[in-house]
Amino acid sequence: MKQLITLTLFLLTITAFAQKPCEYSVNVNDSIGSYKITNEYLMSEKYFGGSFNYIFFSLAQTDGLPTLNLQSIQKSKDFIKANCFDKNSKIFLQLENGKIVTLMHINQENCGTLVRDEKGFDNRINTGIFMFMKDNYEELKKSPISIMRIKYLTNTEDYIVKRELTSELTGKVTNPNTYFMDNIRCVE
């Protein structure tokens, strides 16, 4: 009986700590090369004075090179200032262990697209691709994120990265602070 209880506890522990399988929105291998990208993940959601701001991450791997795709969606009935990405744009991630990880934007300027919806909201959608630095890539696997800073062409924005975020948009619960710890293995 004692062995049965021990075996049951062991199996429950393994199940509880098992990693979730990687989910990809694109996973292509052909004669040209390979490309896979994880599903978008809500990292930040702000609602203030009738304006919405969402930050989504997805990880991509192109022929063995991992990158981070950031998508920013701003929604408002008021004027929306363009936050452009350029070759000097960066993402700084302060980890809970005190270390700072820097991701560099690829050399491509992008100010996003402005789209007006049927409810009279202007929506600015901007996407940036960021490369990991070799020296601090491993740190993302070890420690949760506490603060994220995004350096755009003309300004810098800071975001507190939450342990648990319940989206007002979808009602879905995410854990942004452990995003890299849970998902970076999907593009290695």
Side-chain angles (χ1 to χ4, degrees), residues 40-157:
E40 290 183 340
Y41 194 88
L42 181 64
M43 293 297 291
S44 177
E45 180 179 73
K46 289 182 188 177
Y47 172 71
F48 184 76
S51 295
F52 301 86
N53 188 2
Y54 305 98
I55 301 288
F56 292 92
F57 278 3
S58 59
L59 292 166
Q61 183 195 71
T62 307
D63 296 328
L65 176 68
T67 55
L68 173 71
N69 293 351
L70 178 146
Q71 183 178 55
S72 169
I73 301 173
Q74 297 169 285
K75 183 174 186 168
S76 180
K77 289 191 176 185
D78 298 328
F79 175 76
I80 299 176
K81 180 181 149 196
N83 285 328
C84 301
F85 291 118
D86 73 340
K87 65 181 179 179
N88 297 317
S89 294
K90 295 178 177 126
I91 296 176
F92 302 98
L93 302 170
Q94 182 169 343
L95 306 181
E96 288 184 6
N97 66 9
K99 297 191 177 180
I100 296 177
V101 174
T102 304
L103 289 82
M104 308 289 291
H105 190 262
I106 61 171
N107 193 8
Q108 179 181 355
E109 191 169 311
N110 183 2
C111 292
T113 305
L114 190 63
V115 179
R116 187 171 198 85
D117 66 18
E118 66 279 351
K119 294 179 182 177
F121 281 93
D122 287 332
N123 298 276
R124 182 170 297 281
I125 302 166
N126 195 3
T127 303
I129 301 172
F130 294 83
M131 297 179 294
F132 296 96
M133 306 297 287
K134 198 178 255 186
D135 57 340
N136 55 23
Y137 178 79
E138 292 297 319
E139 291 298 324
L140 292 169
K141 298 178 190 178
K142 299 176 189 173
S143 180
I145 307 165
S146 59
I147 299 172
M148 171 175 59
R149 174 174 282 176
I150 302 174
K151 181 186 177 299
Y152 295 100
L153 174 64
T154 56
N155 72 328
T156 301
E157 291 190 19

Side-chain angles (χ1 to χ4, degrees), residues 160-171:
I160 302 296
V161 181
K162 297 180 180 179
R163 291 186 187 278
E164 184 174 283
L165 173 63
T166 303
S167 172
E168 292 182 27
L169 178 68
T170 64

